[in-house]
């Protein structure tokens, strides 16, 4: 049997022939690898809400392909009618998940394409939307790679690294964010030992991170969420690398529920916590963590979703926030594609965006 490696699949892809957004249904992993084709607004919204495609950057790229496909279906030559339909679809897709800023970031970027091209025939606007979505996917790969290069400067061969949730290839278009230094290090013979938190309640660490790292030949050990203190106290962890769904202007970071617990424990054991953050996930319009909307998810994810029998009494009250905020003073550095931001984040993150703008301006001048 010649089973394809999970790393050989594209997390998010555009199928032009079938006018479809193609994703790996991540809810079935690691047991089954199934690609699904999405065509309608409802299918795309459901896939994002149900975490068939998940992870902030992957959600952004999926939304960009999605809105392009929906715009393509709009049958009109009139810009105003086209734009009105686009805005409605955009609002709908944007309502699927509130915390990952990449969703609105990607949709806003697509809307800007419409607005900038309003003098063009609708058919040409559609082509521009396609080009922008394809570009966003390529950009995501480059961004993750750059995060990996910067992240790799923070660790040394043989280090123990702990990660939480899945900020891996399955959460992006390639490399992942938190896993990018791990994959680049693996290519260069660093021999890290990685500890993956299982990440209750949806088990992204067990089902996805442990799976993709193992498939890549990385030395990975799966632990329950309540074991991170033990491995840190044992001296097995030199650094924590995690992803994020929204970084506020002061460095407070929303990521998968449980990240703040890991960060508090890491502080106790003097282990640095690094947030791997594409600039698309940094929201300078959100001043602090308290301003971030935290997604609340249904009770059944906690009580019975992954178990043959329910693990809680029927009807019990459940609190199920999908994300938490790690206070900026628990974070040793925010690793972006343009370098590593350190305290005070209000200034260093602004500097990262200054670097971004000047690099982008230089690229435009050269083009
Ligand atoms: O609910 P999920 O699985 O979408 O949550 C994902 C995370 O919290 C990731 O750490 C984050 O999106 C960064 S992915 C590079």
């Amino acid at each position: 049997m010649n089973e394809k490696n999970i790393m050989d699949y594209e997390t998010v892809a555009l199928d032009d022939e079938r006018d479809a957004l193609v994703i790996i249904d991540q809810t079935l992993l690691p047991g089954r690898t199934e690609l699904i084709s999405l065509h309608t607004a409802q299918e795309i919204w459901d896939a994002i809400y149900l975490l068939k495609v998940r992870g902030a950057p992957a959600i952004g790229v999926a939304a960009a392909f999605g809105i392009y496909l929906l715009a393509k279906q709009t049958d009109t030559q009139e810009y105003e009618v086209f734009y009105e339909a686009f805005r409605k679809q955009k609002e709908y897709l944007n309502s699927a998940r509130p915390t990952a800023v990449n969703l609105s970031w990607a949709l806003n970027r697509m809307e800007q394409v419409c607005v900038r091209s309003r003098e063009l025939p609708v058919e040409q606007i559609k082509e521009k939307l396609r080009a922008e979505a394809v570009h966003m996917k390529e950009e995501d790969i480059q961004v993750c790679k750059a995060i990996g290069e910067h992240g790799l400067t923070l660790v040394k061969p043989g280090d123990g690294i702990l990660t939480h949730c899945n900020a891996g290839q399955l959460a992006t278009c390639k490399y992942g964010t938190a896993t990018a230094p791990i994959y680049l290090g693996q290519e260069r013979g660093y021999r890290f030992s990685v500890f993956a938190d299982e990440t209750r309640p949806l088990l992204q660490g067990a089902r996805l991170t442990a799976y993709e790292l193992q498939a890549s030949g990385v030395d990975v050990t799966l632990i329950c969420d309540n074991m991170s203190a033990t491995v840190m106290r044992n001296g097995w962890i030199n650094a924590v690398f995690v992803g994020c769904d929204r970084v506020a202007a002061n460095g407070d970071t929303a990521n998968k529920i449980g990240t703040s617990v890991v960060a508090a424990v890491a502080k106790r054991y003097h282990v640095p916590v690094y947030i791997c953050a594409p600039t698309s996930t940094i929201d300078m319009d959100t001043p602090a963590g308290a301003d971030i909307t935290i997604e609340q998810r249904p009770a059944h994810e906690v009580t019975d979703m992954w178990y043959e029998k329910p693990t809680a009494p029927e009807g019990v009250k459940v609190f199920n926030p999908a994300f938490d905020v790690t206070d900026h003073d628990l974070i040793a550095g925010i690793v972006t594609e343009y370098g590593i931001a350190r305290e005070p984040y209000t200034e260093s993150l602004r500097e990262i965006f200054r670097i971004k703008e000047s690099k982008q301006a230089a690229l435009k001048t050269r083009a």
Side-chain angles (χ1 to χ4, degrees), residues 45-315:
W45 191 96
D46 284 350
I48 296 173
Y49 177 73
L50 294 170
L51 275 62
K52 292 181 180 190
V53 57
R54 32 70 49 208
I59 292 172
V61 175
F65 282 141
I67 194 84
Y68 155 65
L69 289 167
L70 299 177
K72 199 175 171 198
Q73 290 165 23
T74 307
D75 189 15
T76 179
Q77 302 304 319
E78 276 177 56
Y79 176 77
E80 291 309 328
V81 177
F82 175 75
Y83 183 54
E84 184 53 28
F86 181 95
R87 291 223 9 119
K88 277 200 185 124
Q89 304 281 27
K90 179 193 154 194
E91 289 316 312
Y92 177 60
L93 293 187
N94 198 33
S95 69
R97 297 191 75 188
T99 306
V101 68
N102 297 62
L103 179 56
S104 57
W105 172 86
L107 291 168
N108 286 338
R109 206 166 133 172
M110 294 295 277
E111 184 178 358
Q112 282 314 306
V113 172
C114 285
V115 173
R116 277 200 308 271
S117 321
R118 63 183 165 277
E119 304 302 337
L120 297 177
V122 166
E123 285 314 305
Q124 280 183 38
I125 301 178
K126 291 178 181 176
E127 280 164 31
K128 284 193 177 289
L129 285 170
R130 181 188 180 282
E132 183 74 358
V134 169
H135 179 63
M136 279 162 76
K137 179 173 171 178
E138 286 158 5
E139 199 178 82
D140 182 55
I141 297 171
Q142 297 315 318
V143 163
C144 288
K145 193 158 186 217
I147 288 174
E149 294 291 357
H150 292 298
L152 203 53
T153 65
L154 300 167
V155 280
K156 51 184 195 322
D159 271 359
I161 296 173
L162 184 134
T163 190
H164 189 77
C165 191
N166 175 265
Q169 173 149 312
L170 288 163
T172 64
C173 297
K174 204 176 159 107
Y175 302 111
T177 58
T179 54
I182 298 169
Y183 287 133
L184 293 189
Q186 170 83 355
E187 283 169 21
R188 296 170 199 177
Y190 271 52
R191 294 179 172 277
F192 294 127
S193 41
V194 179
F195 289 80
D197 283 351
E198 67 174 351
T199 317
R200 281 276 290 149
L202 294 183
L203 305 174
Q204 290 94 330
R207 294 187 303 106
L208 310 176
T209 304
Y211 184 43
E212 62 165 270
L213 289 175
Q214 189 185 52
S216 308
V218 173
D219 173 10
V220 59
T221 305
L222 178 64
I223 57 173
C224 298
D225 297 337
N226 51 8
M227 297 171 189
S228 60
T230 296
V231 292
M232 289 191 210
R233 193 167 191 277
N234 286 355
W236 296 347
I237 307 297
N238 301 91
V240 172
F241 281 119
V242 289
C244 52
D245 287 80
R246 192 181 295 245
V247 178
N250 71 345
D252 287 352
T253 293
N255 189 48
K256 180 52 55 194
I257 190 74
T259 304
S260 68
V261 181
V262 172
V265 169
K267 179 137 185 145
R268 170 70 182 84
Y269 293 109
H270 311 290
V271 174
V273 173
Y274 298 110
I275 305 291
C276 296
T279 48
S280 54
T281 313
I282 302 172
D283 180 4
M284 298 301 274
D285 294 331
T286 295
D291 304 303
I292 299 175
T293 303
I294 299 292
E295 176 182 4
Q296 301 293 324
R297 306 244 349 143
H300 80 98
E301 291 179 349
V302 175
T303 53
D304 51 47
M305 189 160 170
W306 302 103
Y307 301 95
E308 265 178 35
K309 291 184 193 149
T311 52
E314 214 183 312

